[in-house]
Amino acid sequence: QVQLAESGGGLVQAGGSLRLSCAASGRTFSSYDMGWFRQAPGKEREFVAAIRWSGGSTPLADSVKGRFTISRDNAKNTVYLQMNSLKPEDTAVYYCAARMGLPYRYYDGNDYAYWGQGTQVTVSS
């Protein structure tokens, strides 16, 4: 019902910034809760950030709190992840995902029905 496409990844030095975008197709984008997850080589997928359909709740993983910000623009069918003060350990493929309904298990990737193809973020030291 919804297709997602991430963009904005790339190579950046430690301490730098990137902004990831997730463009969604479909007429019901504003009804979905959105999330960002990441996966590094040899590691399991981990939760990064989420935002409710209303924008009223934006939980962040402890590892990125104070550095990353999630936001959405429903008029543009787009979710953003602003990443500042990047560290080498942030290197991963970043995925955008969508879910709907309750209970709101925002931290659980298995609770998301739709996923983008991912965008690579590489932070050099």
Side-chain angles (χ1 to χ4, degrees):
Q1 186 174 343
V2 60
Q3 294 182 337
L4 306 174
E6 304 94 335
S7 62
L11 175 64
V12 64
Q13 290 189 343
S17 298
L18 285 173
R19 188 171 83 153
L20 306 183
S21 297
C22 174
S25 65
R27 64 188 182 189
T28 59
F29 172 76
S30 62
S31 298
Y32 287 91
D33 307 315
M34 303 296 296
W36 286 97
F37 293 78
R38 67 187 183 187
Q39 186 168 25
K43 298 185 66 177
E44 294 185 351
R45 180 182 60 197
E46 67 174 337
F47 166 76
V48 177
I51 185 167
R52 289 284 268 153
W53 64 270
S54 64
S57 178
T58 56
L60 299 171
D62 288 343
S63 60
V64 305
K65 186 176 177 62
R67 300 187 298 122
F68 291 12
T69 302
I70 187 171
S71 61
R72 69 189 298 163
D73 186 342
N74 288 347
K76 296 183 179 295
N77 284 7
T78 302
V79 175
Y80 305 96
L81 184 68
Q82 178 66 48
M83 306 185 295
N84 299 326
S85 302
L86 283 162
K87 305 174 180 179
E89 50 262 46
D90 294 319
T91 296
V93 176
Y94 283 71
Y95 297 93
C96 176
R99 67 169 307 284
M100 185 183 296
L102 295 173
Y104 183 41
R105 293 188 286 264
Y106 60 85
Y107 52 86
D108 185 358
N110 293 323
D111 203 47
Y112 290 75
Y114 305 99
W115 292 82
Q117 66 179 355
T119 186
Q120 177 71 50
V121 172
T122 303
V123 184
S124 65
S125 60

